[in-house]
Amino acid sequence: MNTEPQYDNEGSLIQAEDSQPKSNVARSSEKVPVALEHALIRTLAMLQQHNLASVDDCNQVAASVRSKWGEGKGSDPVNCLARLRAGGGDMLDASVEMISAKMGRSLPFAPIRIPFAGRLIPPSGLYEKHPDIALLCKLMLVPIAYAEDLDVICIASINPYFAEALSLSITEIVEQQTGLKPIVGIVRLDFVSWAKMCEKHFRQGVNE
């Protein structure tokens, strides 16, 4: 009997009819917001649906991401998958771009890739005033590229599905806190720009 996890088109885990499949992969720490787990599962489902990763690949990626989250560090499944495929060599940038671009095109509104985003200044004040948003950004490694108070926010990532999930979470948080619905935009990054932004915003290298 096949006991490997399967995902539907919405990214939800499909349970077996006779019993729930057991997994050797540790679940995320209770301190990790549930939105992250949902975003991870949906990303893994899309990677499989678009023939970018096998079930075994996704299990390895999920274990790596959840392990980092459990340590309070950020992690991204696109980066993990690219490293699984290309290692840390010269092909890493190209592997990330291939996965990121294909994932982006699968969304109704494909995010534009911005090559100069790595030079933007981190919104330290926003992170300090809103630690709940800062935590999500850090764990998902999705930096805020631009913010005009809380009215207009732009987030950036190599993972369009993480960015989309984070945009919804930020919108919900801001609405709860202020009663206003912000405009949250998404841009896509190349690997080098993303790595630089993560270092600036979260003081964490993407290789850690």
Side-chain angles (χ1 to χ4, degrees):
M1 182 176 68
N2 181 14
T3 60
E4 293 178 323
Q6 301 294 322
Y7 305 92
D8 63 21
N9 291 339
E10 298 299 323
S12 299
L13 184 65
I14 300 174
Q15 303 287 2
E17 294 182 358
D18 55 345
S19 63
Q20 292 187 349
K22 296 181 180 179
S23 173
N24 293 326
V25 178
R27 303 296 291 179
S28 300
S29 165
E30 292 182 359
K31 295 182 180 180
V32 175
V34 68
L36 271 69
E37 182 69 15
H38 291 165
L40 174 60
I41 290 175
R42 185 166 184 239
T43 299
L44 297 176
M46 293 301 103
L47 288 171
Q48 290 187 60
Q49 181 176 318
H50 296 288
N51 299 316
L52 292 167
S54 65
V55 172
D56 184 59
D57 290 336
C58 287
N59 284 335
Q60 293 185 61
V61 167
S64 177
V65 171
R66 288 171 178 149
S67 175
K68 292 295 183 183
W69 285 350
E71 297 172 5
K73 296 180 179 180
S75 188
D76 181 274
V78 169
N79 181 45
C80 291
L81 178 61
R83 290 183 181 280
L84 185 64
R85 295 287 181 80
D90 297 336
M91 294 300 295
L92 180 59
D93 293 14
S95 182
V96 167
E97 177 60 23
M98 184 274 293
I99 298 169
S100 176
K102 191 167 185 178
M103 294 281 278
R105 289 193 297 270
S106 71
L107 290 172
F109 299 98
I112 299 173
R113 185 166 74 91
I114 305 296
F116 57 82
R119 298 196 294 268
L120 298 175
I121 300 173
S124 301
L126 188 151
Y127 288 143
E128 292 172 1
K129 292 179 182 178
H130 303 279
D132 42 1
I133 293 177
L135 176 63
L136 290 173
C137 291
K138 175 186 175 182
L139 293 178
M140 300 178 86
L141 294 180
V142 179
I144 295 176
Y146 171 83
E148 185 177 326
D149 294 324
L150 290 177
D151 299 329
V152 180
I153 298 172
C154 180
I155 56 179
S157 178
I158 58 171
N159 183 344
Y161 281 88
F162 261 29
E164 182 186 53
L166 180 58
S167 71
L168 296 175
S169 293
I170 290 176
T171 298
E172 182 179 357
I173 291 170
V174 173
E175 281 190 294
Q176 289 176 349
Q177 294 179 352
T178 68
L180 301 175
K181 186 173 183 178
I183 298 173
V184 183
I186 298 172
V187 296
R188 195 168 62 81
L189 297 173
D190 62 89
F191 176 78
V192 174
S193 295
W194 175 70
K196 288 180 179 179
M197 289 190 76
C198 288
E199 184 71 39
K200 285 183 181 179
H201 288 238
F202 313 126
R203 297 180 181 178
Q204 177 184 332
V206 297
N207 299 327
E208 295 179 10

